[in-house]
């Protein structure tokens, strides 16, 4: 059941003492705040968007949020873990449709919140279908996100097909991760993978990754046919972030660098230096066909390794 209401009403129905509360942020968006023995986290109900996660021993967040991020109705939030669904990037045929689908900018509702036996906090959200969403994607789909906040952060995005006919989706959990200095950061786990480089000519160039991925300029790559864990090595903060996934066959890596970030306007002067997106996805030839009355789940688990 979709549970709707003001932060006060949500607190009464779903709040968990010393674990979970609801508040209003920015221009009236509702945010669930989790604070448990393992970690703190924030989840904005618009977009089913995790905007923060910091395990308790960590000095800095693991999930990055821009200092200039705007919390406004219908706008995407710069940072956190945007849900890109039911398409990734520009729409295949409709130039006026939003980039990365609509899931990240429409209201979702909480359906359940529980404290687990190990003291992790689990919140389940569901996208609210409406005339606005059906005008963009007219299929009987149900999208849920289960967020488990503990020593690790686990996100499970499930697409249900409630109709008789199959449909195809592409998707990404477009997570922004906090790093000390992008120029000193490496991503391990994509060695030898084929990728589409989106910084080149339209449509992208297909190439193969040689060795660990390092950063010296804008990077925008879709790695296909990979189910491997990635590890983000961050010598500046003396830590590694492991990204383990299932139900995902693509990994997107994006960082805008100075010029592009400057044009985007919501990164702040040096925000681009302290983030990189490692996105667990199903894109291009890895798009997923969901048969009538079937479902598909994609999960990703982030953990900090010192
Ligand atoms: C990445 C894409 O996933 O998201 C990039 O590969 C895009 O091409 C980036 O620029 C940010 O997108 P947006 O819509 O959140 O600004």
């Amino acid at each position: 059941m979709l549970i709707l209401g003001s932060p006060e009403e949500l607190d009464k129905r779903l709040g968990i003492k010393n674990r979970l509360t609801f508040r209003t942020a920015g221009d009236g968006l509702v945010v669930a705040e989790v604070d448990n023995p393992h970690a703190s986290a924030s989840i904005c109900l618009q977009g089913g968007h995790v905007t923060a996660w910091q395990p308790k021993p960590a000095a800095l967040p693991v999930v990055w949020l821009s200092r200039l991020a705007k919390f406004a109705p219908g706008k995407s939030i710069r940072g956190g873990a945007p849900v890109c669904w039911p398409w990734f990037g520009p729409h295949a045929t409709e130039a006026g449709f939003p980039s990365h689908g609509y899931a990240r900018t429409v209201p979702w509702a909480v359906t359940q919140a529980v404290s687990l036996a190990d003291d992790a906090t689990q919140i389940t959200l569901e996208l609210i279908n409406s005339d606005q969403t059906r005008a963009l994607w007219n299929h009987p789909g149900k999208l849920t996100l289960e967020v488990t906040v503990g020593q690790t952060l686990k996100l499970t995005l499930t697409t249900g097909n409630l109709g008789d006919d199959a449909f195809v989706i592409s998707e990404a959990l477009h997570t922004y991760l906090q790093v000390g200095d992008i120029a000193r950061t490496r991503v391990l786990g994509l060695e030898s993978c084929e990728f589409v480089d989106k910084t080149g000519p339209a449509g992208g160039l297909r190439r193969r990754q040689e060795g660990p991925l390092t950063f010296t300029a804008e990077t925008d790559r879709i790695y296909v046919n990979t189910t491997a864990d990635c590890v983000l090595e961050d010598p500046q903060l003396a830590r590694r972030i492991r990204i383990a996934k299932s139900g995902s066959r693509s990994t997107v890596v994006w960082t805008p660098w100075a010029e592009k970030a400057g044009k985007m306007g919501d990164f702040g002067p040096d925000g681009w230096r302290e983030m990189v997106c490692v996105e667990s996805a199903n894109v291009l030839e890895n798009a997923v066909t969901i048969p009538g009355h079937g479902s598909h789940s994609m999960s990703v688990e982030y953990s900090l390794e010192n």
Side-chain angles (χ1 to χ4, degrees), residues 240-279:
R240 290 154 55 103
I241 301 168
R242 177 169 296 274
I243 303 135
K245 60 180 190 160
S246 64
S248 155
R249 295 185 48 76
S250 319
T251 296
V252 180
V253 181
W254 178 65
T255 194
W257 224 253
E259 194 186 334
K260 186 160 188 188
K263 287 185 192 145
M264 295 176 97
D266 54 3
F267 269 90
D270 273 330
W272 63 274
R273 276 187 196 282
E274 55 184 38
M275 54 67 61
V276 61
C277 294
V278 180
E279 310 169 31

Side-chain angles (χ1 to χ4, degrees), residues 173-247:
L173 288 163
H174 187 308
T175 309
Y176 290 70
L177 297 163
Q178 172 107 33
V179 297
D181 178 1
I182 183 67
R184 296 187 62 202
T185 300
R186 302 199 308 168
V187 178
L188 314 180
L190 297 168
E191 295 79 0
S192 305
C193 286
E194 185 182 352
F195 66 89
V196 176
D197 184 350
K198 295 208 292 166
T199 59
L205 281 180
R206 290 233 170 198
R207 293 163 53 202
R208 201 164 281 281
Q209 179 67 34
E210 284 173 27
L213 173 59
T214 55
F215 302 93
T216 54
E218 180 194 354
T219 303
D220 191 357
R221 299 179 176 188
I222 301 174
Y223 290 84
V224 290
N225 304 322
T226 173
T227 56
D229 284 15
C230 284
V231 172
L232 197 57
E233 260 190 5
D234 182 349
Q236 183 94 358
L237 298 182
R239 67 184 196 181
R240 290 154 55 103
I241 301 168
R242 177 169 296 274
I243 303 135
K245 60 180 190 160
S246 64

Side-chain angles (χ1 to χ4, degrees), residues 36-232:
N36 65 32
H38 301 293
S40 60
S42 307
I43 305 148
C44 183
L45 270 48
Q46 174 174 286
H49 192 139
V50 173
T51 56
W53 175 61
Q54 182 163 356
K56 288 273 151 101
L60 283 173
V62 172
V63 170
W64 179 84
L65 179 69
S66 171
R67 290 179 193 91
L68 300 189
K70 292 181 195 73
F71 286 66
K75 302 268 181 259
S76 59
I77 299 167
R78 182 65 63 200
V83 175
C84 303
W85 185 96
W87 62 88
F88 179 85
H91 188 274
T93 54
E94 301 291 336
F97 280 17
S99 170
H100 289 335
Y102 58 82
R104 62 178 178 165
T105 52
V106 300
W108 293 48
V110 177
T111 56
Q112 197 184 29
V114 288
S115 192
L116 303 180
D118 67 354
D119 270 333
T121 309
Q122 190 170 74
I123 301 173
T124 310
L125 300 103
E126 184 178 324
L127 185 148
I128 304 172
N129 289 313
S130 64
D131 290 345
Q132 182 202 353
T133 65
R134 283 184 284 269
L136 294 166
W137 193 72
N138 197 12
H139 295 281
K142 172 173 161 174
L143 185 65
T144 62
L145 180 72
E146 185 185 84
V147 181
T148 309
V149 178
Q151 264 308 300
T152 67
L153 171 69
K154 188 166 181 195
L155 308 179
T156 301
L157 186 69
T158 301
T159 305
N161 183 346
L162 307 179
D164 295 332
D165 301 328
F167 58 66
V168 179
I169 56 151
S170 51
E171 58 183 346
L173 288 163
H174 187 308
T175 309
Y176 290 70
L177 297 163
Q178 172 107 33
V179 297
D181 178 1
I182 183 67
R184 296 187 62 202
T185 300
R186 302 199 308 168
V187 178
L188 314 180
L190 297 168
E191 295 79 0
S192 305
C193 286
E194 185 182 352
F195 66 89
V196 176
D197 184 350
K198 295 208 292 166
T199 59
L205 281 180
R206 290 233 170 198
R207 293 163 53 202
R208 201 164 281 281
Q209 179 67 34
E210 284 173 27
L213 173 59
T214 55
F215 302 93
T216 54
E218 180 194 354
T219 303
D220 191 357
R221 299 179 176 188
I222 301 174
Y223 290 84
V224 290
N225 304 322
T226 173
T227 56
D229 284 15
C230 284
V231 172
L232 197 57

